[in-house]
Amino acid sequence: MFSYLRERFTSRLRERSRRRARLVSKDGRCNIEFGNVEQSRFVFLIDIWTTILDLRWRYKMTIFISAFLGSWFLFGLLWYVVAYIHKDLPEFNPSINHTPCVENINGLTSAFLFSLETQVTIGYGFRCVTEQCATAIFLLIFQSILGVIINSFMCGAILAKISRSKNRAKTITFSKNAVISKRGGKLCLLIRVANLRKSLLIGSHIYGKLLRTTITPEGETIILDQVNIEFVVDAGNENLFFISPLTIYHIIDKNSPFFHMAAETLLQQDFELVVFLDGTVEATSATCQVRTSYIPEEVLWGYRFAPIVSKTKEGKYRVDFQNFSKTVAVETPHCAFCLYNEKEAKAKEKKGYDNPGFVLSEVNETSDTKM
């Protein structure tokens, strides 16, 4: 029992170590780190809008709350300074005929409350600016303008974050595994993709990149060498009618990087297949991209996907997502080279062969029958 658990634990660690080195995760996130960047990180402040949009929600909400609280407190200090300089505070014992710059500011707390009321335009009517101080009028105008800018920027950033097309991409899902089997008499690599919403992606386009380590004839080692992988469906790879799950496939021919791979050597390969789906969101006309990746352990040789679409008695089409990633074993050649050799052999058998050593000789037939 102990040896079995140890073997399972070792195999799990070995599997995790193999799957750790991947550029794109299954949900489309890129696993890459930039080091020794010469430019300062302050360059991200130049494009502050994109920086804010790319932040996680917890950081965005922290900035949102800090921006408002910070501006309220800062202007509260300024209003307190104005009241202090003009000697409007009770500690200065102003006379009865004294007209303060701001009515009813008695300390730092009341100055903070007046700053809050001014910036968010609450207007309780208890504290108000008088015409006694030009500085107070200028500060009121400046805070009102700055408050509108902060409100517009922060609310716009949150609205853009909520309506970002990246969220629409989360309703597009790929199958957990890719499969290799025969389709239309050809050896193909197949992947299933589904749209979880009834709204379409307009102008959808599917393509792939094979990432692998290659060595050039000059001896240069390229870690992430990219090779184009063409994926098609029966109706083409552009302007897909993406209302139901589709099975996209890549034909493994002599121009395919999978041509020299076999079922026995697939797990020994070092590659990562990244699949992209680009489209335009029908509701917002914003473009989005969905991506996922497959490593050799996630490519099943000799399998096909189980049926997923059926028709009910009421005449409706039903999609059973329980079978979305389910695969079925089928008879498949163990390599593309063998499949094409088999086709050539069958074609020659149909045509027949000429034997150059065959000589036709005539035989005189004699009859030994006597009457």
Side-chain angles (χ1 to χ4, degrees):
M1 183 66 181
F2 179 75
S3 60
Y4 173 76
L5 293 177
R6 183 176 60 184
E7 183 180 353
R8 286 292 302 273
F9 181 74
T10 304
S11 61
R12 182 63 62 87
L13 288 180
R14 191 182 303 112
E15 182 179 358
R16 287 189 60 184
S17 63
R18 285 201 307 263
R19 295 196 176 192
R20 191 176 301 142
R22 63 192 308 163
L23 180 64
V24 180
S25 62
K26 298 296 290 184
D27 58 356
R29 296 181 181 180
C30 295
N31 179 27
I32 191 168
E33 179 181 350
F34 298 101
N36 300 323
V37 180
E38 296 180 358
Q39 292 181 340
S40 173
R41 293 189 178 272
F42 287 102
V43 297
F44 293 101
L45 296 178
I46 299 176
D47 188 14
I48 186 63
W49 179 255
T50 305
T51 302
I52 293 295
L53 290 182
D54 289 339
L55 289 177
R56 295 182 179 272
W57 273 108
R58 53 179 176 267
Y59 301 126
K60 186 186 296 292
M61 295 307 299
T62 301
I63 294 176
F64 180 84
I65 296 173
S66 301
F68 282 104
L69 290 179
S71 62
W72 296 339
F73 184 73
L74 175 62
F75 280 100
L77 289 177
L78 295 178
W79 287 115
Y80 178 80
V81 170
V82 170
Y84 184 85
I85 294 176
H86 198 253
K87 297 183 179 181
D88 298 335
L89 301 176
E91 58 192 56
F92 292 105
N93 296 320
S95 62
I96 299 177
N97 298 326
H98 179 77
T99 303
C101 293
V102 181
E103 295 284 354
N104 300 311
I105 287 187
N106 302 319
L108 186 59
T109 304
S110 57
F112 174 78
L113 292 176
F114 179 72
S115 174
L116 172 63
E117 296 168 10
T118 301
Q119 189 164 328
V120 300
T121 64
I122 294 178
Y124 289 124
F126 182 68
R127 301 178 182 88
C128 61
V129 177
T130 65
E131 57 185 15
Q132 184 68 25
C133 300
T135 305
I137 298 175
F138 174 78
L139 185 59
L140 176 65
I141 296 173
F142 183 72
Q143 183 177 5
S144 299
I145 295 175
L146 186 62
V148 172
I149 295 175
I150 295 176
N151 288 337
S152 302
F153 184 85
M154 298 308 301
C155 294
I158 291 180
L159 180 61
K161 181 76 171 180
I162 294 175
S163 60
R164 208 173 185 185
S165 57
K166 183 185 293 186
N167 298 326
R168 176 64 175 91
K170 294 181 180 179
T171 57
I172 306 296
T173 181
F174 289 89
S175 57
K176 181 179 179 182
N177 296 302
V179 298
I180 294 179
S181 59
K182 292 175 63 177
R183 186 183 181 94
K186 300 178 181 179
L187 191 64
C188 300
L189 184 142
L190 301 97
I191 297 172
R192 178 172 279 175
V193 58
N195 180 13
L196 301 182
R197 289 185 178 272
K198 292 185 178 180
S199 60
L200 300 178
L201 282 181
I202 304 173
S204 300
H205 175 63
I206 298 176
Y207 58 98
K209 298 286 185 181
L210 186 69
L211 308 179
R212 60 184 180 181
T213 301
T214 59
I215 300 177
T216 63
E218 295 77 17
E220 179 185 3
T221 302
I222 304 177
I223 300 297
L224 294 177
D225 187 24
Q226 300 184 14
V227 180
N228 290 328
I229 301 295
E230 293 294 333
F231 282 98
V232 295
V233 294
D234 293 334
N237 62 343
E238 293 185 358
N239 299 325
L240 305 178
F241 186 51
F242 199 15
I243 192 63
S244 63
L246 298 175
T247 301
I248 62 175
Y249 59 91
H250 164 71
I251 300 175
I252 304 178
D253 53 12
K254 295 181 179 180
N255 297 324
S256 172
F258 295 95
F259 183 76
H260 299 286
M261 299 183 188
E264 297 82 3
T265 62
L266 180 64
L267 296 179
Q268 302 173 5
Q269 303 294 326
D270 183 16
F271 67 85
E272 181 177 353
L273 176 62
V274 184
V275 183
F276 302 87
L277 172 63
D278 297 338
T280 303
V281 181
E282 187 179 24
T284 62
S285 298
T287 58
C288 69
Q289 182 184 87
V290 195
R291 53 185 176 267
T292 189
S293 69
Y294 299 92
I295 56 178
E297 289 80 5
E298 296 169 346
V299 179
L300 306 179
W301 195 296
Y303 289 83
R304 64 171 176 84
F305 290 109
I308 191 174
V309 181
S310 60
K311 192 173 183 179
T312 62
K313 296 181 179 178
E314 293 80 11
K316 294 183 178 180
Y317 293 94
R318 184 176 184 271
V319 180
D320 186 8
F321 280 95
Q322 186 177 1
N323 295 336
F324 180 72
S325 295
K326 186 177 180 181
T327 57
V328 180
V330 292
E331 183 179 355
T332 306
H334 71 90
C335 66
F337 189 75
C338 298
L339 175 64
Y340 290 107
N341 284 348
E342 180 183 352
K343 287 185 176 181
E344 292 178 0
K346 290 183 178 179
K348 289 181 179 180
E349 288 179 1
K350 292 181 180 180
K351 293 180 180 179
Y353 293 90
D354 292 332
N355 188 355
F358 178 77
V359 177
L360 180 63
S361 59
E362 296 182 357
V363 179
N364 295 326
E365 295 183 356
T366 57
S367 177
D368 297 333
T369 305
K370 295 182 178 180
M371 294 302 293

